[in-house]
């Protein structure tokens, strides 16, 4: 059988050879080296030649993998400034207190992680001492995405520099008393320290990329020059398995985000065992990042390895390092010199000879202790290379030992992620290793003491001096005393109060029209950040393209195909729209960066992200939880919402549950407006609450979720009755009565029912109101339920007040007080959505909704299928009245037959 590789020409074969003789000479030279010095030497020369070509800008495919050695040779390492011995002592104190904090907390069963920071200590300490800029210089500083499991080490450093007390450390993971520390980086729980939530894993790297990108957006749009800010994301090698971790690598390289550095702690272990037991995670990550266009810096081996590499005259050592799988490297960490001599060096005669030159102590030093991520000088060299590299983001692959300095019971053990404490003897051994002045007498009743050299000690003074030189403490979140943004002109909102007359308008289009007016506002218009995942035309936003421009750091380097049209596709370096392509996760990361710019950069931005409602909360709810944790502000808009309004797309697009998921997020204010004037009222108040003058006791750190629909319907005028605005914002108001709606009922004492509808369902309810009156003699009042969730939250607060001895009536009960007859609630979502408020409604309650999977058909057929169309509402209303004896039971059967149900 013919080898397919033998008949596949290379790309170069497609080009004419202008000098075949010269080509043959090069090939003969390579053959000669392979024959005389072996194929490994030939491969070495080829790699070096390709590296030189790349360095000289010669267009050749990049090497995706390099040898399993440090990118920066020892001889090329820059001298690190500062006092290395002082930094060693500071790091020792932080290692100790991080382990002590978790161990002390374990007695209360609260858990914690020790091994992660133990492996990554120098990765953080080197940055804090020499690289991470604080906020007291230019007001933004660097943005630090700290690996969640390393949080004890960050708390330990804050304790050393005086920002935390022993009481704080003793309340690690015990927050109920008010002086506690959250388990991970949670800005909502510790807003003066943490800026960015990084647990759930995978969201940190994705958010870091879009934060770096948003920094460029702010600079290019002239909002604020944040070009001095650098984004650092600290990640675990196991974390890189999360799809979100690598989802936006191409974006970062495509846009040349050299203001971004990933630091991946390659301790070769994840939660249960090796990351790549039979493979090499460092090599895999190097190929992945290089292939995506990133600059890669490997810091794998400590200085103890220098002697070994100098003795490796044949390249056998480098070859062996590259072929040994990660799980075996982990095993070497726990075995003696004899085992390493046999298993590692014994595989190659050249290595056997090399090992004869090494003492057992030297072998153990190299294989047990010496890693690039554990030496300040090597970490400094990697960081310096990263911040000085231009044109692309950098990833640093730093090899470490998980559980380093914690003793033989921790280092490289598969279970060390679940190990929450050290014994007293292990602490004493750690103390001796770290050379800390802690006496045996300080271990009172077997409790490990915290260690501190003193507020005026050389260590603390050095730490504080270094931070002062870099612009203040880090990490730190700044709450800026920003002046409230001026409210946009009322005209933009009031124009919706008169309705649309005879014109049918979808609420999606109503929202877009509102935004078009708001972005023209002279005071606040530039602060709007429209975000869309490649569906702008679906939502009628293409008219914004030429006026606002689509952001691109390159501007527009081509002539768009539709340049002769009014609404042409316009990209601009200062463009305002973020059109992210088909990535809801990327769009949410954009939204998070924009929604927290008020804190990160002291610039209030107003993001609105519009998306298919089905692909919002269902697909990216974890990021929305991250958004709430990060105290973000802005508008999420679930367009083409509801289970029956987009039925031609099938069940995957039929959203019948996003309000249910939104209700689980305490920071989300979820609204399902029915009419254009409701949208205007909600957005106007949202701008006031989040960006203007919030009322006393109002939390500004919320975000709004609005569902809007693609079904063109008549938009009525805003009712003039008192309390409508309050009802819209609280979640419920009476839209009309049977009398005000002009539907005549023959009998003066006709039975009456209250019909509650939300979103697009209000239109079926209004039709049912007329049918009930004209065909069945039943009077009904129609209520618009703009937010079932806000009604429920208000009722829950009233219940909580009652427990405190305060009498407070829930708004929904006050609104419906005295309303005659039973209540029937209808929505285009599963019945669980309106049923949220059932227990606080005094009247008899019933509901209709679209439970189950969606289907492809007409809207009318879908609504009949789910039993939420006007005729189904009529039957349900008659059945409810029949149970009360207010209409004959036969009327229900007659209605079913008449309407073909």
């Amino acid at each position: 059988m013919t080898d397919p590789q033998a008949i596949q020409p290379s790309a170069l074969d497609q080009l004419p050879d202008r000098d075949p003789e010269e080509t043959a000479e090069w090939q003969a030279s390579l053959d000669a080296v392979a024959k005389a010095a072996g194929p490994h030497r030939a491969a070495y020369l080829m790699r070096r030649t390709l590296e030189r070509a790349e360095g000289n800008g010669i267009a050749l495919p990049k090497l995706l993998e390099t040898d399993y050695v440090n990118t920066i040779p020892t001889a090329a390492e820059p001298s690190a400034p500062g006092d290395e011995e002082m930094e060693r002592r500071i790091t020792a104190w932080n290692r100790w207190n991080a382990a002590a904090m978790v161990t002390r907390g374990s007695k209360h069963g609260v858990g914690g992680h020790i091994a992660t920071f133990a492996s990554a200590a120098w990765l953080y300490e080197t940055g804090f001492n020499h690289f991470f800029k604080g906020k007291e210089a230019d007001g933004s500083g660097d943005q630090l995405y700290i690996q969640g499991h390393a949080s004890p080490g960050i708390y330990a450093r804050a304790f050393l520099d005086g920002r935390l007390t022993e009481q704080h450390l003793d309340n690690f993971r015990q927050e109920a008393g008010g002086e506690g520390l959250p388990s991970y980086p949670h800005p909502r729980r510790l807003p003066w320290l943490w800026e960015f939530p990084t647990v759930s894993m995978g969201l940190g790297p994705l958010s870091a990329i879009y934060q770096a990108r948003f920094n460029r957006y702010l600079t290019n749009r002239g909002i604020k020059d944040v070009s001095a800010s650098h984004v650092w994301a600290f990640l675990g090698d196991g974390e890189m398995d999360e799809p979100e971790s690598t989802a936006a690598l191409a974006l970062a390289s495509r846009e040349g985000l050299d203001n971004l550095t990933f630091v991946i702690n390659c301790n070769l272990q994840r939660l249960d065992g090796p990351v790549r037991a039979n493979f090499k995670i460092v090599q895999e990550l190097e190929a992945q990042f290089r292939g995506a266009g990133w600059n890669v810096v490997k810091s794998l081996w400590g200085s103890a390895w220098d002697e070994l590499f100098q003795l490796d005259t044949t390249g056998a050592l480098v070859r062996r390092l590259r072929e040994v799988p990660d799980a075996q490297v982990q095993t070497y960490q726990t075995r003696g010199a004899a085992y390493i001599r046999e298993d590692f060096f014994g595989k190659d005669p050249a290595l056997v000879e090399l090992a004869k030159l090494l003492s057992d102590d030297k072998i153990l030093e190299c294989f047990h202790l010496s890693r690039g991520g554990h030496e300040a000088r090597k970490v400094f060299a990697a960081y310096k290379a990263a911040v000085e590299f231009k044109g692309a983001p950098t990833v640093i692959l730093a090899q470490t030992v998980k559980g380093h300095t914690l003793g033989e019971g921790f280092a490289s053990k598969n279970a060390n992620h679940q190990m929450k404490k050290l014994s007293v003897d292990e602490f004493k051994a750690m103390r001796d290793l770290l050379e800390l002045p802690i006496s045996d007498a300080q271990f009172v009743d077997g409790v490990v003491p915290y260690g501190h050299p003193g507020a005026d000690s050389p260590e603390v003074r050095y730490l504080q001096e270094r931070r002062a030189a870099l612009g203040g403490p880090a990490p730190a979140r700044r709450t800026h005393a920003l002046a409230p943004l001026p409210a946009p002109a009322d005209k933009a909102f009031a124009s919706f109060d008169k309705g649309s007359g005879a014109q049918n308008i979808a609420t999606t289009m109503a929202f877009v029209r509102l935004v078009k007016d708001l972005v023209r506002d002279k005071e606040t218009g530039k602060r709007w950040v429209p975000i869309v995942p490649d569906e702008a035309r679906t939502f009628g936003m293409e008219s914004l393209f030429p006026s606002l421009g689509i952001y691109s750091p390159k501007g527009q380097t081509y002539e768009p195909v539709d340049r002769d049209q009014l609404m042409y596709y316009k990209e601009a370096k200062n463009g305002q729209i973020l059109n992210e392509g088909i990535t809801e996760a990327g769009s949410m990361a954009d939204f998070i960066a924009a929604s927290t710019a008020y804190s990160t950069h002291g610039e209030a931005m107003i993001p609105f992200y519009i998306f298919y409602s089905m692909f919002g909360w269902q697909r990216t709810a974890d990021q929305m939880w991250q958004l709430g944790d990060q105290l973000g502000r802005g508008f999420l808009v679930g367009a083409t919402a509801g289970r029956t309004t987009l039925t031609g797309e099938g069940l995957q697009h039929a959203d019948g549950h996003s309000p249910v998921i939104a209700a689980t997020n305490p920071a989300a204010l979820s609204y399902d407006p029915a009419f254009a004037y409701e949208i205007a009222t909600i957005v106007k108040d949202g701008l006031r609450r989040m960006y203007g003058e919030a009322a006393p006791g109002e939390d500004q750190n919320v975000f709004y979720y609005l569902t809007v629909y693609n079904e063109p319907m008549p938009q009525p005028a805003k009712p003039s009755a008192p309390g409508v605005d309050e009802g819209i914002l609280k979640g419920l108001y009476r839209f009309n009565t049977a009398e005000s709606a002009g539907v005549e009922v023959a009998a003066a004492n006709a039975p009456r029912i209250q019909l509650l509808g939300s979103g697009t369902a209000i239109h079926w309810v209004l039709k049912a109101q007329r049918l009930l009156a004209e065909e069945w003699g039943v009077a009904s009042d129609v209520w618009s339920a703009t937010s079932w969730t806000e009604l429920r939250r208000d009722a829950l607060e009233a219940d909580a007040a009652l427990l405190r001895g305060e009498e407070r009536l829930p708004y929904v009960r006050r609104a419906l007080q005295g309303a005659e007859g039973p209540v029937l609630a209808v929505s285009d979502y599963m019945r669980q959505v309106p049923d949220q408020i059932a227990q606080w409604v005094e009247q008899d309650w019933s509901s209709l909704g679209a439970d189950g999977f969606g289907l492809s058909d007409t809207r009318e057929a879908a609504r009949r299928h789910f039993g939420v169309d006007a005729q189904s509402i009529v039957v349900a209303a008659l059945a409810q009245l029949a149970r009360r004896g207010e209409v004959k039971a036969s009327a229900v059967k007659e209605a079913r037959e008449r309407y073909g149900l």
Side-chain angles (χ1 to χ4, degrees), residues 537-740:
R537 298 182 193 278
T538 301
F539 306 135
M541 292 174 60
E542 64 269 30
S543 61
L544 297 177
F545 289 170
S547 58
L548 301 184
I550 299 166
Y551 173 74
S552 169
K554 289 184 175 294
Q556 193 154 37
T557 61
Y558 60 92
E559 183 177 354
V561 66
D562 54 358
R563 183 61 183 88
D564 57 340
Q565 298 178 15
L566 181 63
M567 293 184 289
Y568 71 97
Y569 195 84
K570 177 187 175 183
E571 294 188 84
K573 191 172 182 179
N574 63 347
Q576 194 164 348
I577 301 169
L578 291 173
N579 192 322
E580 289 306 349
I582 306 174
T583 168
E584 285 83 6
S587 299
M588 269 306 303
D590 257 337
F591 187 89
I592 292 170
S595 70
T596 54
Y598 73 92
S599 172
T600 308
H601 296 298
E603 294 288 344
M605 305 300 288
I606 312 171
F608 81 88
Y609 164 34
I610 187 167
F611 49 88
Y612 270 78
S613 64
M614 184 71 165
F615 302 137
W617 287 91
Q618 174 171 298
R619 183 167 291 184
T620 58
D622 200 10
Q623 286 178 287
M624 292 165 180
W625 200 265
Q626 177 190 14
L627 166 66
D629 192 349
Q630 200 166 319
L631 310 175
R633 305 169 184 174
F635 296 96
L636 296 175
V637 184
T640 60
R643 184 148 277 162
T644 70
T645 58
L646 193 66
T647 52
E649 301 281 346
L651 66 87
Q652 192 65 20
H653 287 63
D655 172 24
H657 52 274
S658 67
V660 177
I661 308 175
T664 66
N665 192 310
L669 276 62
S670 177
Y671 285 91
D672 186 26
F675 305 124
Y677 67 79
E678 293 177 351
I679 293 173
T681 301
I682 294 165
V683 171
K684 179 180 180 181
D685 195 68
L687 290 172
R688 174 200 63 78
R689 176 171 178 173
M690 294 185 292
Y691 301 98
E693 296 282 1
E698 258 185 337
D699 184 5
Q700 283 190 285
N701 299 317
V702 295
F703 60 92
Y704 283 67
Y705 174 58
L706 282 74
T707 47
V708 293
Y709 299 84
N710 68 327
E711 185 174 12
M713 300 295 286
Q715 298 297 324
K718 187 177 185 177
S720 58
V724 170
D725 281 0
E726 180 191 22
I728 291 172
L729 300 176
K730 292 280 191 181
L732 183 69
Y733 69 97
R734 184 154 46 193
F735 175 71
N736 69 24
T737 63
E739 292 74 20
S740 67

Side-chain angles (χ1 to χ4, degrees), residues 220-362:
N220 288 337
R221 286 198 55 218
I223 302 292
K224 182 179 181 180
D225 184 355
V226 294
S227 55
S229 290
H230 199 88
V231 178
W232 300 82
F234 288 84
L235 317 168
D237 47 0
E239 180 179 4
M240 301 312 293
D241 284 347
E242 291 283 4
E244 296 90 349
S245 295
T246 55
L249 298 187
L251 166 70
S253 61
R254 182 171 67 244
E255 298 203 358
L257 298 181
D258 50 24
N259 60 339
L260 170 68
T261 297
F262 277 15
V263 182
I264 303 182
N265 178 16
C266 298
N267 57 36
L268 314 185
Q269 289 184 251
R270 52 189 177 196
L271 308 190
D272 288 332
V275 178
R276 294 289 183 272
N278 295 298
F279 305 92
K280 301 192 79 62
I281 184 61
V282 168
Q283 299 301 92
E284 178 182 319
L285 291 173
E286 178 183 27
Q288 191 171 17
F289 278 86
R290 283 187 183 275
W294 286 53
N295 175 45
V296 179
V297 177
K298 294 197 288 191
S299 183
L300 308 180
W301 307 111
S303 56
W305 284 83
D306 290 348
E307 180 184 344
L308 275 69
F309 289 127
Q310 289 171 2
L311 294 171
D312 181 31
T313 57
T314 66
L317 176 63
V318 173
R319 291 196 301 273
R320 181 68 177 133
L321 287 173
R322 187 168 181 171
E323 71 188 20
V324 175
D326 284 351
Q328 192 63 23
V329 173
Q330 183 180 342
T331 298
Y332 294 148
Q333 176 69 33
T334 64
R335 300 298 176 87
Y339 178 88
I340 298 171
R341 284 182 187 276
E342 178 182 352
D343 192 85
F344 181 84
F345 292 99
K347 303 296 185 182
D348 187 302
L351 291 181
V352 171
E353 294 303 312
L354 187 153
K356 291 177 181 178
L357 304 174
L358 305 175
S359 67
D360 286 355
D361 286 345
K362 182 65 176 180

Side-chain angles (χ1 to χ4, degrees), residues 742-792:
V743 288
E744 304 215 356
V745 182
N749 59 345
R752 185 175 288 265
I753 189 169
Q754 307 298 316
L755 301 178
L756 278 58
S758 68
T760 193
I762 200 80
H763 300 285
W764 327 325
V765 170
L766 288 169
K767 184 176 180 181
Q769 180 187 42
R770 187 165 295 280
L771 289 174
L772 281 167
E774 294 175 353
E775 300 185 12
W776 305 99
V778 172
S780 57
D781 303 334
V782 173
W783 300 70
S784 179
T786 54
S787 179
W788 309 102
T789 302
E790 287 304 295
L791 290 172
R792 176 179 176 82

Side-chain angles (χ1 to χ4, degrees), residues 418-435:
Q418 281 72 36
M419 296 162 70
K420 311 300 183 186
K421 59 183 178 180
L422 277 70
S423 68
V424 170
D425 287 342
E426 287 172 323
F427 265 110
K428 289 179 179 178
M430 180 183 177
R431 170 200 63 191
D432 296 341
L433 176 65
L434 298 177
E435 300 177 348

